[in-house]
């Protein structure tokens, strides 16, 4: 593995100071080769989590009273810092998480874009004036920060997801305690360092690194005013329940089992390209990745021939090699779990339609296409129902758009869906009837812009959406003022 990164020390940022942890030893290892240690340190203790919340609580009044323009200026400077270091941080991201270097650099630049977008919030509408039925009166609705926000993020976008949670939290006047996934702590440190470079005051953003169990300390802390989480549906629902029991608002982005639907009139060259990207970029480790493929019977064989032809040119290997299209999964545990999922699906009647090539060591998994049997056996197959979070696609054949839409809806999840058709009426029908948070027509299922809402329906999401103007719905509460002269 071509890696020039020197060993980094993992520390926690509490009240503006970088300190060692008081818990067990933790290492950040290269996803492609776990004999390579990228960073080492010790996890935060529950006492340190409490100290971080105490610091955020003490800082919240001063930060909330700071003009939004000044808060935005800090985000803008941090965005510039990330752009300046995108090459180095992107390489670290690729090594730590496993996506390709190009994708890693792109994610760092997306984090910078998100910071830059929210840095302009002071130039947007801050509230609303409503007409009053009484003479001489105005009704004003204004927004105030919640207070201290707990932020818990997953491994798969180690700087992108923290950016789209923390940037709006900060610009709307909240303070933050941030816990990244313990598999990817290095990029979390880089993000906090960027905001420090931007001039963020001590205590406004605090970083604690450690196992998932630290999340229990978040939800139990007396200073927590709101919690935002991205991760599994099981963990998300537990946090939502715990928050509800304590009257704490929770925003949760959870699982996905996203479909790409290719209808009879689709452009198969375009569709095969976009399905390839949606299913296999980032090694399928995206909540919006395509993992179900619904094909009209009339074009199914032709489409699969085009997709597998493209996959024959798809190179899996060292994520820092510029000739590689797909790196490893994040660790051996993830790879083993996905491989076991393939075996279970085959035992339940699936046919192995395609398996690519991948290195035989480490946490690599080759791109895999499973074709499911017809009828109830296909619907019940684990590859159709479970989120493998890997480069695995389950295929079902249908007859006509009505069966295709029924199959697309056949999931407890409702995050993203890609529809390939040249029929505008069917695209509008999908927009009206399919219960998903994100609908792509003639483009891949993965991908989201920072200025529009992001989030899922059904078991994929809870609470207000993320990104764009929708973020204000979670990070603030409103005060309605009846004003008479």
């Amino acid at each position: 593995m071509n890696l020039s990164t020197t060993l980094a020390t993992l520390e926690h940022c509490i009240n503006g100071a970088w300190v060692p942890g008081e818990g067990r030893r933790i290492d950040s290892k290269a996803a492609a080769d776990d004999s390579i240690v990228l960073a080492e340190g010790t996890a935060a203790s529950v006492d340190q989590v409490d100290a971080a919340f105490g610091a955020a609580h003490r800082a919240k009044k001063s930060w909330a009273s700071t003009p939004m323009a000044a808060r935005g200026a800090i985000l803008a400077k941090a965005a510039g810092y990330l752009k300046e270091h995108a090459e180095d941080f992107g390489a670290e991201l690729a090594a730590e998480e496993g996506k390709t270097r190009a994708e890693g650099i792109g994610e760092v630049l997306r984090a910078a874009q998100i910071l830059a977008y929210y840095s302009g919030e002071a130039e947007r509408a801050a509230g609303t004036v409503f007409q009053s039925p009484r003479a001489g009166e105005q009704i004003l609705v204004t927004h105030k920060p919640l207070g201290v926000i707990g932020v818990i993020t997953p491994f798969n976008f180690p700087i992108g997801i923290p950016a789209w949670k923390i940037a709006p939290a900060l610009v709307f006047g909240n303070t933050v305690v941030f816990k990244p996934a313990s598999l990817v702590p290095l990029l979390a440190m880089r993000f906090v360092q960027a905001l420090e470079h931007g001039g963020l005051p001590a205590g406004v953003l605090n970083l604690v690194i450690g196992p998932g169990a630290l999340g229990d300390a978040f939800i139990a802390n007396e200073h927590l005013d709101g919690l935002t989480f991205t991760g599994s549906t099981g963990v998300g629902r537990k946090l939502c329940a715990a928050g509800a029991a304590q009257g704490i608002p929770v925003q949760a982005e959870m699982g996905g089992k996203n479909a790409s639907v290719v209808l009879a009139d689709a452009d198969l060259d375009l569709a095969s390209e976009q399905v390839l990207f949606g299913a296999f970029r980032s090694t399928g480790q995206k909540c919006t990745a395509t993992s179900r493929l619904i094909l009209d019977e009339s074009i199914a064989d032709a489409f699969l021939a085009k997709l597998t032809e493209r996959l024959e040119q798809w190179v899996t290997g060292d994520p820092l090699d510029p000739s590689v299209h797909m790196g490893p999964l994040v660790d051996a545990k993830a790879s083993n779990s996905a491989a076991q999922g393939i075996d279970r699906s085959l035992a339940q009647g699936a046919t192995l339609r395609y398996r690519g090539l991948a290195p035989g060591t480490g946490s690599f998994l080759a791109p895999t296409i499973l074709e499911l049997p017809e009828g109830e056996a296909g619907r019940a197959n684990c590859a159709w129902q479970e989120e493998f979070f890997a480069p695995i696609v389950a295929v079902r054949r249908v007859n006509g758009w009505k069966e295709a839409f029924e199959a697309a809806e056949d999931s407890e999840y409702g995050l993203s869906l890609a529809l390939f058709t040249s029929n505008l009426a069917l695209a509008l029908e999908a927009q009206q009837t399919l219960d998903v948070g994100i609908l792509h027509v003639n483009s891949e299922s993965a991908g989201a812009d920072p200025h529009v809402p992001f989030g899922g329906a059904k078991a994929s999401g809870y609470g207000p959406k993320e990104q764009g103007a929708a973020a204000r719905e979670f990070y603030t509460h409103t005060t309605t003022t009846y004003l008479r002269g």
Side-chain angles (χ1 to χ4, degrees):
M1 186 175 188
N2 182 18
L3 184 67
S4 60
T5 305
T6 56
L7 185 67
T9 300
L10 297 176
E11 291 185 312
H12 315 271
C13 185
I14 301 174
N15 199 30
W18 288 93
V19 297
E22 298 171 350
R24 64 172 176 81
R25 177 186 169 92
I26 52 173
D27 292 329
S28 171
K29 298 179 179 180
D33 183 351
D34 64 9
S35 69
I36 299 175
V37 177
L38 305 173
E40 61 182 6
T42 49
S45 66
V46 171
D47 287 344
Q48 286 180 303
V49 172
D50 290 342
F53 272 99
H57 177 71
R58 292 189 296 274
K60 72 177 184 179
K61 184 178 290 187
S62 174
W63 182 243
S65 65
T66 300
M68 186 177 280
R71 300 195 295 255
I74 292 172
L75 269 59
K77 189 173 181 181
Y81 180 87
L82 290 181
K83 288 181 181 179
E84 182 182 346
H85 293 85
E87 293 280 339
D88 291 340
F89 293 171
E92 288 181 337
L93 194 160
E96 187 176 54
E97 193 270 344
K99 63 185 61 173
T100 65
R101 181 172 186 154
E103 289 178 304
I105 293 169
E107 185 178 332
V108 175
L109 292 174
R110 174 54 64 93
Q113 181 188 15
I114 292 165
L115 287 168
Y117 171 81
Y118 282 107
S119 73
E121 193 63 35
E123 299 172 0
R124 302 181 186 117
T128 309
V129 177
F130 290 87
Q131 298 294 330
S132 172
R134 292 164 292 276
E137 182 180 74
Q138 283 188 323
I139 303 174
L140 286 71
V141 177
T142 53
H143 296 261
K144 297 178 180 177
L146 285 182
V148 179
I149 303 294
V151 174
I152 300 176
T153 60
F155 74 84
N156 59 324
F157 285 89
I159 196 167
I161 291 177
W164 81 37
K165 291 179 182 293
I166 293 171
L170 294 177
V171 82
F172 288 122
N174 301 279
T175 56
V176 171
V177 180
F178 168 35
K179 193 198 90 63
S182 57
L183 289 171
V184 289
L186 187 53
L187 267 293
M189 288 179 55
R190 300 301 184 225
F191 184 69
V192 175
Q193 289 164 357
L195 284 158
E196 274 193 327
H197 176 81
L200 200 68
V204 173
L205 173 59
N206 304 271
L207 171 69
V208 289
I209 302 166
L214 281 185
D216 295 336
F218 273 53
I219 203 72
N221 193 278
E222 62 177 330
H223 297 311
L224 180 69
D225 297 309
L227 179 71
T228 179
F229 164 85
T230 295
S232 72
T233 296
V235 174
R237 284 179 169 174
K238 288 179 182 178
L239 292 172
C240 291
Q246 300 183 54
I248 296 168
V250 176
Q251 175 193 68
E253 291 301 332
M254 300 180 281
K257 190 67 180 172
N258 312 294
S260 283
V261 177
V262 186
L263 299 182
D265 63 347
D267 178 335
L268 298 190
D269 289 323
L270 171 67
S272 60
E273 175 196 61
Q274 293 299 305
V275 169
L276 175 78
F277 294 160
F280 301 113
R281 276 179 172 170
S282 299
T283 324
Q285 296 179 128
K286 294 180 179 181
C287 57
T288 53
T290 293
S291 58
R292 297 186 298 146
L293 181 55
I294 300 163
L295 304 176
D296 190 279
E297 178 67 53
S298 66
I299 52 86
D301 288 333
F303 176 86
L304 289 171
K306 288 180 178 291
L307 179 58
T308 54
E309 182 181 1
R310 290 179 182 275
L311 280 169
E312 287 297 322
Q313 309 304 315
W314 193 254
V315 179
T316 301
D318 180 353
L320 296 181
D321 182 340
S323 68
V324 162
H325 300 98
M326 190 178 89
L329 276 84
V330 69
D331 65 1
K333 180 180 178 181
S335 179
N336 291 337
S337 176
Q340 291 169 9
I342 293 172
D343 291 341
R344 285 190 290 118
S345 177
L346 293 172
Q348 293 170 9
T351 299
L352 182 62
R353 184 73 188 228
Y354 179 85
R355 177 176 283 165
L357 299 176
T361 59
S363 57
F364 292 94
L365 186 76
T368 302
I369 301 175
L370 301 168
E371 185 156 355
L372 305 186
E374 295 181 0
E376 187 59 33
R379 291 188 64 249
N381 192 284
C382 65
W384 189 256
Q385 297 293 338
E386 299 176 20
E387 185 181 25
F388 290 160
F389 224 60
I392 303 168
V393 173
V395 179
R396 283 177 60 193
R397 300 182 184 221
V398 296
N399 288 299
W401 69 268
K402 289 185 179 180
E403 282 191 18
F405 286 12
E406 288 174 1
E409 283 284 87
D410 184 24
S411 174
E412 65 174 317
Y413 301 109
L415 180 52
S416 183
L417 184 144
L419 173 65
F420 295 91
T421 181
S422 59
N423 188 323
L424 178 59
L426 288 180
L428 292 174
E429 178 72 16
Q431 191 271 332
Q432 290 291 324
T433 62
L434 298 181
D435 194 13
V436 292
I438 304 164
L439 175 64
H440 291 267
V441 179
N442 295 323
S443 62
E444 62 170 297
S445 63
D449 290 312
H451 62 293
V452 292
F454 176 91
K458 300 191 284 189
S460 293
Y462 179 89
K465 296 291 191 289
E466 297 189 283
Q467 300 204 74
R472 188 171 68 173
E473 296 176 24
F474 177 73
Y475 293 107
T476 67
H477 67 86
T478 59
T479 296
T480 302
T481 302
Y482 294 85
L483 182 63
R484 300 188 74 173

